[in-house]
C-alpha cells in the first residue's frame, strides 16, 4: 500500500538522503564480501559482492537522475525534467538484469567444470549474516521513503536491496551446505551463485516493466486523485468535478481536471473559478507541477 499522495514538500531531499545512505552501506558491504569471499573461496559470497557493488552503481545513477529531475521547467521542457528519475529507475533495472545474467553464466560454467575444493570458511557465514541484516534494513528504509515520495527510482533501489538480502540468504545456505558436506559437496556453493543470479535478473525484469508503465503515462489512482477532487469540491462555485487525470513524471505530478460551473456565468467568471481550483491544488499538493 503506497502512502504517496502528492502533499510532501521535501520529496527530493528525502530521496537524496536515502540514496546516499544506500551508497555508503553498499560500498562497505561489497568490500567486506569481496575480501572474505576471495579469502574463503566462496563463489556464492563473491556473486553476492557483485550484487552489492551493482547497488553502489545503481544508487549513483539514481542520484544523477534525481538531480536532473529537480531542474526547473524550460522552453524545451515545459513539463519539467521529472522523467529523468524514471529513466534512472529503468537503468537500475537494466543493471540488475545484466549482473543477474552474468552471475548465472559464471555459475553454470563453474558447475560444468567443477573441481572439488575445500568448502568456504566460517567467516563467509558471518559475512552473509551481516549482509542479510544490513540489506533488509536498507530495504525497509528506502521502500518507506520511496512510497512516501512516489519515487520509482528509490522503490527500484529498495527492491534491489531486498533482492540482495535474499541473495545473501541463498549464499548463506549454499555456504552452510558446502561446509557441512565437505569438499565433496563444495559444488553447492556454485549452485547458490546460479540461484542468486536468477533472483537478481527476475527483480531487474520486474522493475523494468514497472518503470515502463510510468514512461507510458499510466494514470495515477488513489490518494492523489482523491486530493484533487476534494480540492475542487471545496470551492462552492464548482458544480461538478467530471474528469481527473493524474500522471507521474518522476517525483512530479501533472494534473488534468475537468470542472463544471454555472452555465449562466461569463467566461471571465468561469475562468476565475478555474484559477481558484488550480491554485488550491498547487498549494495543497506540492508534488503537482502543472494543472
Amino acid at each position: 500500500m503506497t502512502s504517496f499522495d502528492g502533499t510532501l514538500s521535501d520529496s527530493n531531499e528525502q530521496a537524496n538522503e536515502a540514496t546516499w545512505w544506500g551508497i555508503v552501506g553498499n560500498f562497505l558491504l561489497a568490500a567486506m564480501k569481496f575480501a572474505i569471499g576471495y579469502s574463503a573461496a566462496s563463489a556464492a559470497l563473491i556473486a553476492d559482492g557483485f550484487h552489492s557493488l551493482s547497488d553502489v552503481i545503481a544508487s549513483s545513477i539514481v542520484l544523477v537522475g534525481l538531480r536532473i529531475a529537480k531542474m526547473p521547467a524550460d522552453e524545451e521542457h515545459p513539463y519539467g525534467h521529472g522523467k529523468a528519475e524514471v529513466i534512472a529507475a529503468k537503468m537500475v533495472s537494466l543493471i540488475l538484469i545484466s549482473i543477474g545474467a552474468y552471475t548465472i553464466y559464471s555459475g553454470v560454467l563453474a558447475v560444468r567444470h567443477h573441481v572439488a575444493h575445500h568448502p568456504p570458511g566460517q567467516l563467509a557465514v558471518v559475512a552473509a549474516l551481516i549482509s542479510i541484516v544490513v540489506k533488509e534494513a536498507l530495504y525497509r528504509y528506502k521502500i518507506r521513503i520511496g512510497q512516501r515520495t512516489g519515487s520509482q527510482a528509490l522503490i527500484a533501489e529498495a527492491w534491489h536491496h531486498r533482492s540482495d538480502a535474499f541473495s545473501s540468504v541463498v549464499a548463506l545456505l549454499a555456504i552452510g551446505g558446502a561446509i557441512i558436506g565437505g569438499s565433496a559437496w563444495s559444488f553447492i556453493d556454485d549452485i547458490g551463485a546460479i540461484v542468486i543470479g536468477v533472483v537478481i535478473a527476475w527483480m531487474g525484469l520486474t522493475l523494468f516493466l514497472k518503470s515502463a508503465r510510468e514512461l507510458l503515462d499510466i494514470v495515477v489512482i488513489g490518494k492523489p486523485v482523491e486530493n484533487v477532487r476534494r480540492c475542487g469540491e471545496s470551492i462552492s462555485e464548482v458544480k461538478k468535478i467530471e474528469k481527473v487525470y493524474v500522471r507521474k513524471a518522476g517525483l512530479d505530478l501533472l494534473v488534468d481536471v475537468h470542472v463544471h460551473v454555472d452555465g449562466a456565468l461569463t467566461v471571465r467568471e468561469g475562468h476565475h473559478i478555474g484559477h481558484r481550483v488550480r491554485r488550491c491544488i498547487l498549494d495543497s499538493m506540492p508534488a503537482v507541477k502543472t494543472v
Side-chain angles (χ1 to χ4, degrees):
M1 179 67 70
T2 179
S3 57
F4 174 67
D5 59 6
T7 60
L8 201 63
S9 60
D10 62 342
S11 56
N12 200 284
E13 288 74 12
Q14 288 195 30
N16 265 298
E17 182 179 344
T19 304
W20 273 113
W21 276 111
I23 289 176
V24 174
N26 280 307
F27 181 80
L28 294 175
L29 278 177
M32 176 191 70
K33 289 175 186 178
F34 283 136
I36 297 176
Y38 281 108
S39 64
S42 171
L45 194 60
I46 293 170
D48 207 18
F50 276 109
H51 196 175
S52 293
L53 184 61
S54 73
D55 272 347
V56 175
I57 298 171
S59 294
S60 301
I61 291 173
V62 170
L63 272 181
V64 174
L66 288 170
R67 176 165 292 188
I68 296 174
K70 195 177 180 180
M71 294 170 61
D74 54 37
E75 189 174 340
E76 289 187 330
H77 307 89
Y79 293 102
H81 300 76
K83 287 195 176 179
E85 191 261 355
V86 191
I87 294 172
K90 188 167 286 294
M91 292 177 70
V92 170
S93 69
L94 291 173
I95 289 172
L96 277 170
I97 293 171
S98 300
I99 290 179
Y102 178 76
T103 304
I104 294 169
Y105 174 74
S106 299
V108 170
L109 286 181
V111 171
R112 285 184 62 187
H113 305 289
H114 179 74
V115 177
H117 56 77
H118 290 294
Q122 293 184 356
L123 196 58
V125 174
V126 176
L129 285 170
I130 292 173
S131 177
I132 293 168
V133 173
V134 174
K135 297 302 291 189
E136 183 63 19
L138 282 172
Y139 162 78
R140 292 178 182 274
Y141 169 56
K142 285 194 177 182
I143 199 69
R144 186 177 71 251
I145 301 298
Q147 290 178 341
R148 188 187 302 165
T149 60
S151 170
Q152 282 300 316
L154 207 56
I155 291 172
E157 267 200 286
W159 279 105
H160 200 168
H161 293 316
R162 168 58 68 85
S163 70
D164 205 356
F166 183 79
S167 70
S168 293
V169 171
V170 175
L172 178 63
L173 294 174
I175 293 165
I179 290 174
I180 294 171
S183 58
W185 287 82
S186 59
F187 66 90
I188 293 178
D189 189 50
D190 298 323
I191 293 175
I194 296 174
V195 175
I196 290 171
V198 172
V199 172
I200 296 171
W202 177 255
M203 289 288 185
L205 180 61
T206 302
L207 293 170
F208 181 88
L209 296 174
K210 190 172 182 179
S211 58
R213 287 172 59 84
E214 189 168 319
L215 285 176
L216 290 172
D217 284 336
I218 297 294
V219 294
V220 176
I221 59 174
K223 290 182 180 179
V225 176
E226 293 170 8
N227 289 343
V228 171
R229 284 192 175 277
R230 190 179 301 115
C231 201
E233 291 166 355
S234 69
I235 297 173
S236 59
E237 292 88 349
V238 173
K239 299 297 182 183
K240 179 182 177 183
I241 300 293
E242 183 182 11
K243 298 174 183 176
V244 177
Y245 297 136
V246 181
R247 54 195 172 97
K248 284 183 84 277
L251 302 182
D252 301 336
L253 292 178
L254 311 176
V255 175
D256 294 307
V257 55
H258 192 176
V259 178
H260 283 233
V261 298
D262 188 341
L265 296 177
T266 65
V267 173
R268 183 187 298 274
E269 290 169 329
H271 188 67
H272 177 66
I273 295 170
H275 269 285
R276 288 174 60 192
V277 173
R278 178 177 181 274
R279 178 44 52 194
C280 177
I281 294 170
L282 291 173
D283 288 345
S284 62
M285 300 175 66
V288 175
K289 298 305 174 187
T290 63
V291 181

